[in-house]
């Protein structure tokens, strides 16, 4: 009795493979070393790139500046942003922070936004200490925006929440700062700290 049709169809690929294997085997044996070599080279290139990125990050963390383009890996972008933040180089930080937005790395983006906000807030506080309130206002508004964006990327970022509260209190105490054009502010800079218990000057 002949085998059912479905069994005959299932057996056909196996029969074809047994027939073709003697012809395919020499070519596969020749190609296999080349495929293994290509895989090894690809792995070596990836390892070399990762090591190079790690070296650049280590240099930036040690305080040695390195040029970083917007298409660099996200961890390297963040390392340069943090390096520039120590120098309050906000204009150089901005394109790198923008580049992080499309990297699907919300935690890194939040840290970058937070660092940019801190750099702007430090400059604003320095201006306030020197009684230069007019130029300090826009910087505080921009810092507050960066903290909010950091929280959009990472809602549980407590440090960003804390500094957002500081910036918001400054705007509340000096509402003229929230205006793009306003009259000269008349207030004593020291009074801004009375509503922030335990907050040392220049902490952000």
């Amino acid at each position: 009795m002949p085998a059912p049709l479905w069994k005959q169809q299932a057996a056909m690929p196996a029969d074809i493979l047994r027939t073709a294997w003697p012809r395919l085997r020499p070519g596969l044996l020749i190609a296999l070393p080349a495929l293994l070599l290509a895989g090894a080279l690809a792995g070596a290139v990836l390892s070399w790139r990762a090591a190079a990125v790690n070296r650049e990050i280590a240099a930036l963390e040690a305080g040695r500046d390195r040029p970083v383009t917007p298409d660099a890996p996200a961890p390297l972008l963040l390392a340069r942003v943090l390096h520039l933040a120590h120098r309050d180089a906000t204009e150089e930080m901005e394109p790198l922070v923008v580049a992080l937005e499309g990297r699907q790395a919300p935690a890194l983006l939040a840290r970058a936004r937070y660092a940019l906000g801190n750099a702007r807030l430090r400059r604003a506080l320095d201006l306030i200490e020197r009684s230069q309130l007019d130029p300090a206002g826009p910087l505080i508004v921009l810092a507050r925006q960066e903290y909010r964006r950091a929280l959009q990327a990472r809602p549980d970022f407590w440090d960003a929440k804390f500094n957002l509260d500081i910036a918001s209190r400054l705007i509340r105490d000096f509402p003229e700062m929230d205006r793009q054009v306003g009259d000269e502010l008349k207030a004593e800079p020291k009074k801004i700290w009375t509503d922030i218990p335990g907050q040392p000057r220049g902490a952000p």
Side-chain angles (χ1 to χ4, degrees), residues 85-124:
H86 290 295
R87 299 161 48 186
D88 292 337
T90 55
E91 292 183 0
E92 295 180 63
M93 294 168 67
E94 288 176 356
L96 302 180
V97 174
V98 172
L100 273 171
E101 290 182 347
R103 299 302 182 85
Q104 303 300 320
L108 302 185
L109 176 60
R111 290 182 61 191
R113 289 285 185 194
Y114 174 74
L116 181 54
N118 283 350
R120 284 175 168 153
L121 188 57
R122 278 194 300 268
R123 290 176 58 186

Side-chain angles (χ1 to χ4, degrees), residues 69-87:
T69 59
D71 60 347
L76 183 54
L77 288 174
L78 176 61
R80 183 91 198 287
V81 167
L82 297 179
H83 172 81
L84 294 172
H86 290 295
R87 299 161 48 186

Side-chain angles (χ1 to χ4, degrees), residues 92 99 115 122 132 156 163 174 181 190:
E92 295 180 63
R122 278 194 300 268
Q132 299 179 19
D156 63 341
N163 284 10
F174 299 101
V181 179
K190 293 183 180 180

Side-chain angles (χ1 to χ4, degrees), residues 42-175:
V45 169
L46 292 175
S47 297
W48 177 82
R49 289 180 179 176
V53 169
N54 289 336
R55 285 194 298 270
E56 294 297 297
I57 291 175
L60 289 166
E61 291 177 346
R64 299 189 299 273
D65 196 9
R66 290 289 188 274
V68 176
T69 59
D71 60 347
L76 183 54
L77 288 174
L78 176 61
R80 183 91 198 287
V81 167
L82 297 179
H83 172 81
L84 294 172
H86 290 295
R87 299 161 48 186
D88 292 337
T90 55
E91 292 183 0
E92 295 180 63
M93 294 168 67
E94 288 176 356
L96 302 180
V97 174
V98 172
L100 273 171
E101 290 182 347
R103 299 302 182 85
Q104 303 300 320
L108 302 185
L109 176 60
R111 290 182 61 191
R113 289 285 185 194
Y114 174 74
L116 181 54
N118 283 350
R120 284 175 168 153
L121 188 57
R122 278 194 300 268
R123 290 176 58 186
L125 295 176
D126 181 64
L127 290 170
I128 291 173
E129 292 289 343
R130 292 185 278 131
S131 299
Q132 299 179 19
L133 301 182
D134 286 339
L139 291 173
I140 295 175
V141 173
L142 291 174
R144 187 172 61 171
Q145 292 176 355
E146 294 301 333
Y147 296 137
R148 285 175 173 167
R149 291 171 180 169
L151 289 170
Q152 289 175 353
R154 183 183 158 193
D156 63 341
F157 197 169
W158 191 90
D159 289 343
K161 291 180 182 179
F162 183 84
N163 284 10
L164 174 60
D165 182 61
I166 292 176
S168 297
R169 291 186 184 193
L170 290 172
I171 296 298
R172 184 196 66 190
D173 291 342
F174 299 101

Side-chain angles (χ1 to χ4, degrees), residues 26-43:
L28 291 175
L29 292 176
I30 294 174
L32 184 59
L35 292 174
L36 293 175
L37 179 60
L41 289 175

